[in-house]
Amino acid sequence: ALYAAIEGDGYHVSRATIYNTMELLSDCGIVRRHQFGAQPAQYERVSATVNHLHLICQQCGKIKEVKDPELVSFMNSRRYSAFHDSYFCLYVYGICAACTRRNRREAGK
Ligand SMILES: [Zn+2]
């Protein structure tokens, strides 16, 4: 997707350069790499990843980000022995509303 966007802007960069750059940004802690099931890896800016949930549809692969203040305050109250935690990131797998509707329609045929 990044390669297509860069090409669309009229710049020419090899895919290897993009992969290497994303790995470098990941190593520096600027972006975080997410691997959702069998989908290609996705990257997200670190400041945007803190303390939110990813709802991942197992059928269409759509990823929705949601905040859950109750869960955040619970997680912030947790203490783990001999470990100082910085942030958390939670993946919730399931079926999205659009796929649920589609499945119902197809089951009704
Ligand atoms: Zn879906």
Side-chain angles (χ1 to χ4, degrees), residues 17-54:
T17 300
I18 292 172
Y19 282 116
N20 292 339
T21 304
M22 293 315 291
E23 284 305 308
L24 181 66
L25 292 173
S26 176
D27 288 346
C28 296
I30 294 166
V31 298
R32 185 163 300 126
R33 188 176 195 274
H34 291 291
Q35 187 75 56
F36 299 114
Q39 294 182 52
Q42 297 194 22
Y43 293 88
E44 186 174 39
R45 222 176 62 231
V46 162
S47 61
T49 66
V50 173
N51 298 346
H52 69 232
L53 288 72
H54 291 89

Side-chain angles (χ1 to χ4, degrees), residues 56-63 94-100 102-103:
I56 302 151
C57 179
Q58 294 167 287
Q59 202 168 313
C60 70
K62 193 165 77 187
I63 300 161
I95 307 293
C96 75
C99 286
T100 301
R102 193 179 315 116
N103 293 343

Side-chain angles (χ1 to χ4, degrees), residues 3 19 35 38 47-48 55 64-65 74 84 90 97 106 109:
Y3 178 79
Y19 282 116
Q35 187 75 56
S47 61
L55 305 181
K64 189 178 178 191
E65 289 170 12
F74 172 73
H84 181 81
L90 189 68
E106 277 164 20
K109 276 177 190 166

